[in-house]
Amino acid sequence: MTAVPSRKGTGLYTLCAGIGALVFFLGPALALLADVAALPAASVGYAGIMLFTGGIAARYDFATAANRWLQLGKNLLVALAITLAFYLVFLFLYLL
């Protein structure tokens, strides 16, 4: 059994996912405690979801690139597209 070699960028991707998790959980709660409307608070939560999923996708090489920042950027774009689809459904239901 061989050990998995250390890859460059894994700390960056984990940091991005961790920040995304914090934004997802704390952002809407703090926004609502500060009497911000529900729609901006939910938007902050969706931004956290995008950061989290982009970081996790980059960590596990969903979209690869030679540069770790470029790989993170590519995966954040994929996460943005997917999160935007769910956000649009949320907006439709919210404004209904």
Side-chain angles (χ1 to χ4, degrees):
M1 179 181 232
T2 61
V4 176
S6 177
R7 294 188 332 239
K8 285 188 172 187
T10 56
L12 174 67
Y13 309 145
T14 304
L15 179 66
C16 180
I19 290 171
L22 285 174
V23 169
F24 172 66
F25 287 113
L26 294 179
L30 293 175
L32 290 175
L33 286 174
D35 289 330
V36 174
L39 184 61
S43 300
V44 169
Y46 275 97
I49 292 171
M50 188 266 307
L51 286 172
F52 177 76
T53 55
I56 294 297
R59 169 67 177 89
Y60 291 104
D61 298 331
F62 180 75
T64 60
N67 182 339
R68 59 184 169 185
W69 289 99
L70 185 58
Q71 179 168 333
L72 180 60
K74 287 171 77 173
N75 283 285
L76 283 174
L77 284 175
V78 171
L80 176 66
I82 294 169
T83 306
L84 185 62
F86 285 100
Y87 184 69
L88 290 175
V89 171
F90 161 75
L91 279 179
F92 174 73
L93 294 174
Y94 181 78
L95 298 173
L96 191 65

